Amino acid sequence: MFYSSFGSNMREFLLLEYASGLFAHHSLWQLGVDYFDYCPELGRVSLELHIERIPLSTEQKALKVLRICEQRQMTEQVRSICKILAMKAVRNNRLGSALSWSIRAKDAAFATLVSDRFLKDYCERGSFSDLDLIDNLGPAMMLSDRLTFLGESLGSQPQTFGIVVGCADGTD
């Protein structure tokens, strides 16, 4: 691999190679994380590169990867994983989950997109699927203007929300 050209000592080189080999196996990649932790020169960079290539096939696996990244303050990888999970949730029409992930990723553009989908759903159905989530946004609603509008308008006057957004007559 590329490690030998960076002037690493032999011990670190061997640990990096072994950790990379563990990452290639679908059930041993978590063990590889620990080996990268013992490489002071290139371990973190190597781990970041390997983490980015892990297929997030299930939400459980994504949560494991996310926990590993959070424990090591790998903020870019955390943000990336949250964005991926938010996109998957939107594709599966799980808007509440998508909104939670986009907030966790601090992705204002995606939070706006999800907020628009919430508004569209409200106009089509006349109700919100994840009202509890919207009611409890707290300071997170400040992430995007649309999200703020959604949280404030719904929270202050839920009976007239349809009139405010212009898609219902207000009589639910």
Side-chain angles (χ1 to χ4, degrees):
M1 269 201 145
F2 66 90
Y3 308 121
S4 60
S5 64
F6 287 174
S8 297
N9 63 37
M10 182 60 80
R11 178 186 175 277
E12 183 158 338
F13 171 77
L14 293 172
L15 285 173
L16 292 168
E17 284 293 317
Y18 189 65
S20 294
L22 291 171
F23 256 84
H25 193 276
H26 72 279
S27 64
L28 297 176
W29 65 271
Q30 293 175 76
L31 188 58
V33 170
D34 295 329
Y35 279 91
F36 281 129
D37 286 343
Y38 283 97
C39 300
E41 288 182 46
L42 300 171
R44 182 176 175 95
V45 173
S46 300
L47 177 59
E48 288 172 355
L49 292 171
H50 281 81
I51 286 283
E52 291 172 358
R53 288 189 240 137
I54 294 175
L56 304 175
S57 50
T58 66
E59 192 163 321
Q60 182 181 9
K61 187 172 184 179
L63 290 171
K64 284 181 186 179
V65 176
L66 194 59
R67 188 183 74 250
I68 288 167
C69 293
E70 286 173 336
Q71 289 170 342
R72 289 160 181 78
Q73 290 91 34
M74 299 167 72
T75 53
E76 286 305 311
Q77 285 73 17
V78 168
R79 192 169 291 125
S80 176
I81 292 166
C82 290
K83 287 180 180 183
I84 290 167
L85 293 173
M87 286 187 274
K88 283 184 177 184
V90 164
R91 272 183 268 157
N92 294 325
N93 208 30
R94 295 174 41 231
L95 297 181
S97 181
L99 185 58
S100 293
W101 286 117
S102 63
I103 289 170
R104 192 166 174 182
K106 295 175 180 65
D107 187 344
F110 204 75
T112 298
L113 177 108
V114 175
S115 298
D116 285 342
R117 289 280 302 270
F118 266 111
L119 292 169
K120 181 182 173 205
D121 268 15
Y122 180 83
C123 287
E124 291 173 359
R125 296 185 204 167
S127 65
F128 283 103
S129 56
D130 295 288
L131 187 59
D132 189 47
L133 173 69
I134 296 167
D135 281 343
N136 295 300
L137 285 172
M141 79 170 73
M142 303 307 284
L143 182 62
S144 97
D145 291 343
R146 199 79 34 86
L147 189 54
T148 303
F149 169 77
L150 185 64
E152 285 293 319
S153 299
L154 187 61
S156 63
Q157 298 293 328
Q159 66 276 13
T160 60
F161 186 76
I163 296 170
V164 172
V165 297
C167 61
D169 61 14
T171 57
D172 289 42

